[in-house]
Amino acid sequence: MSIISSDIDQAVQILLTDELVAIPTETVYGLAGNAFSEVAINKIFAMKERPHFNPLIVHIHSVEQLDAIVSDVPPKAKLLADKFWPGPLTLVLQKRDKVPDLVTGAKDTVAVRIPNHPVALALLKKLPFPLAAPSANPFGSISPTKAIHVKQYFEGQLKLVLEGGDCENGIESTIIGFENGKPILYRHGSISLEDIIAVVGDVKVQNKKEIAPDAPGMLERHYAPNTKTVLVDDVALYLVKTGATNVGAITFETSSKPNNVIYLETLSPDGDLKEAAANLYSALHYLDSLTLDIIVAERFPDYGLGRSINDRLERATKGK
Ligand code: TXA
Ligand code: MG
């Protein structure tokens, strides 16, 4: 019997016993457990083989639930929540004592969001606690945008992957924290920097190490395929220069395939960055499943969601 199922009540039963369930969201699938249970949280870190200094995002179903986990919501955080929740925006806010240190990497802030996915919301509404959920992939590897990706990673370890279809946005949430009420972007994501700025004005971008000032650089390689991957300005030119063979390529809108490219993933033939973002991880998963010598990805335009795509591609191509 497959671990992929649409049975929300079964997910509730599993989560009530401090076990884990993979859940669909509009960004990527999450590996979810009771955010108030240290037993469940430890299982998340163990299954992902994730270092404990890298804190988790807590998922809630409504703004009313926010009060149980954070002590203060700055005015600009409220503006962003009003505009983008439910949706792919994570806010980093002052935490209440009730949130275990394990969730936040002992920080006094907690990352929180309301996901915009009917299955995730229906599940959250049936539970007496919020769900801590990192992306449902082993630490450092490509995030899952289909239930089958999660199954391939965790079959045998996980009882249930809730089916929710392909993730609509396809890359992680945009993460915004605050310093003296001023917004700081910690991670580019499914909401563009331009869209955040349109709501709150100036935003400081501080996304170079995914968190963890105590561990600089450690998270630079992330979202990475097993196959060697490079990011270049022009795929065809790169191939001429290097003479590489047995190549898989990723382009934005170009669909002409150079000779030595075995498989080409054009992320959006119409040149739509939102569509490209939605297709990015699934293209990487697919190319990584072929036995290629190299994946060559083309740099995206550096604005809007192109910036978020470039961020993921840069991290996917950092040397092993
Ligand atoms: O779209 C998403 O955000 C997905 C879905 C499942 O919701 N989740 C996700 O979780 O991407 P994860 O664990 O892969 O990334 C969470 C990131 C951490 O890497 C860390 O950078 C940041 O959230 N984070 C969490 N708590 C934080 C805090 N207190 N301060 C700063 N950054 C924090
Ligand atoms: Mg992740």
Side-chain angles (χ1 to χ4, degrees), residues 154-201:
F154 294 121
E155 175 116 74
Q157 295 181 69
L158 199 54
K159 285 188 183 149
L160 178 65
V161 181
L162 263 188
E163 178 60 81
D166 293 0
C167 300
E168 197 184 323
N169 292 88
I171 48 177
E172 292 81 353
S173 59
T174 301
I175 303 182
I176 307 283
F178 298 87
E179 235 166 54
N180 302 320
K182 295 201 178 115
I184 304 177
L185 183 144
Y186 292 129
R187 179 173 74 183
H188 289 295
S190 282
I191 298 173
S192 69
L193 178 60
E194 289 87 341
D195 285 353
I196 301 284
I197 289 173
V199 177
V200 290

Side-chain angles (χ1 to χ4, degrees), residues 33-44:
N34 178 353
F36 295 148
S37 158
E38 298 202 351
V39 173
I41 302 306
N42 270 320
K43 286 179 183 166
I44 293 176

Side-chain angles (χ1 to χ4, degrees), residues 25 27-31 48 50 54-57 59 90 92 103-104 107 109-111 113 133-135 137 171-173 175 186-187 210-211 219 222:
T25 82
T27 58
V28 300
Y29 277 74
L31 184 62
K48 271 190 72 100
R50 173 172 172 131
N54 195 8
L56 307 179
I57 295 173
H59 297 70
T90 293
V92 175
V103 171
T104 64
K107 287 168 177 293
T109 52
V110 60
R113 80 181 190 99
S135 52
N137 51 279
I171 48 177
E172 292 81 353
S173 59
I175 303 182
Y186 292 129
R187 179 173 74 183
E210 242 203 346
I211 47 116
L219 304 179
H222 215 128

Side-chain angles (χ1 to χ4, degrees), residues 48 59 73 81 99 105 116 144 155 181 214 232 236 262 273 288 317-318:
K48 271 190 72 100
H59 297 70
V73 182
V99 181
N116 187 20
E155 175 116 74
D214 14 329
V232 303
I262 301 214
L273 287 168
D288 203 26
T317 56
K318 284 275 150 67

Side-chain angles (χ1 to χ4, degrees), residues 46-295:
M47 201 178 287
K48 271 190 72 100
E49 297 181 43
R50 173 172 172 131
H52 277 88
F53 61 75
N54 195 8
L56 307 179
I57 295 173
V58 174
H59 297 70
I60 56 177
H61 60 70
S62 63
V63 178
E64 291 69 59
Q65 225 184 350
L66 189 60
D67 193 48
I69 58 173
V70 311
S71 58
D72 181 47
V73 182
K76 289 195 171 177
K78 172 126 193 357
L79 282 178
L80 289 169
D82 285 347
K83 171 82 183 170
F84 295 115
W85 279 355
L89 167 77
T90 293
L91 295 175
V92 175
L93 302 169
Q94 287 303 311
K95 83 174 191 79
R96 289 202 191 276
D97 291 345
K98 193 168 181 196
V99 181
D101 280 346
L102 261 181
V103 171
T104 64
K107 287 168 177 293
D108 57 8
T109 52
V110 60
V112 57
R113 80 181 190 99
I114 305 180
N116 187 20
H117 192 291
V119 173
L121 289 171
L123 173 64
L124 285 164
K125 283 178 190 159
K126 288 189 174 200
L127 290 167
F129 44 74
L131 290 174
S135 52
N137 51 279
F139 183 66
S141 59
I142 310 164
S143 303
T145 54
K146 297 171 186 288
I148 186 87
H149 295 152
V150 185
K151 182 178 170 202
Q152 284 160 358
Y153 282 138
F154 294 121
E155 175 116 74
Q157 295 181 69
L158 199 54
K159 285 188 183 149
L160 178 65
V161 181
L162 263 188
E163 178 60 81
D166 293 0
C167 300
E168 197 184 323
N169 292 88
I171 48 177
E172 292 81 353
S173 59
T174 301
I175 303 182
I176 307 283
F178 298 87
E179 235 166 54
N180 302 320
K182 295 201 178 115
I184 304 177
L185 183 144
Y186 292 129
R187 179 173 74 183
H188 289 295
S190 282
I191 298 173
S192 69
L193 178 60
E194 289 87 341
D195 285 353
I196 301 284
I197 289 173
V199 177
V200 290
D202 230 16
V203 174
K204 182 169 154 195
V205 175
Q206 200 180 92
N207 72 321
K208 280 310 165 199
K209 27 188 162 51
E210 242 203 346
I211 47 116
D214 14 329
M218 282 198 70
L219 304 179
E220 279 189 334
R221 183 179 166 81
H222 215 128
Y223 315 107
N226 291 316
T227 313
K228 178 184 157 78
T229 304
V230 294
L231 178 61
V232 303
D233 289 325
D234 185 318
V235 172
L237 197 63
Y238 176 86
L239 295 179
V240 170
K241 271 197 195 150
T242 60
T245 54
N246 195 23
V247 175
I250 292 183
T251 60
F252 178 21
E253 43 191 339
T254 312
S255 55
S256 60
K257 193 160 75 65
N259 278 344
N260 23 3
V261 170
I262 301 214
Y263 201 89
L264 172 68
E265 289 272 5
T266 303
L267 298 190
S268 174
D270 296 334
D272 174 355
L273 287 168
K274 192 164 167 30
E275 182 183 35
N279 290 330
L280 175 67
Y281 287 147
S282 129
L284 282 170
H285 276 283
Y286 181 68
L287 293 179
D288 203 26
S289 75
L290 308 173
T291 40
L292 300 165
D293 287 345
I294 189 166
I295 298 171

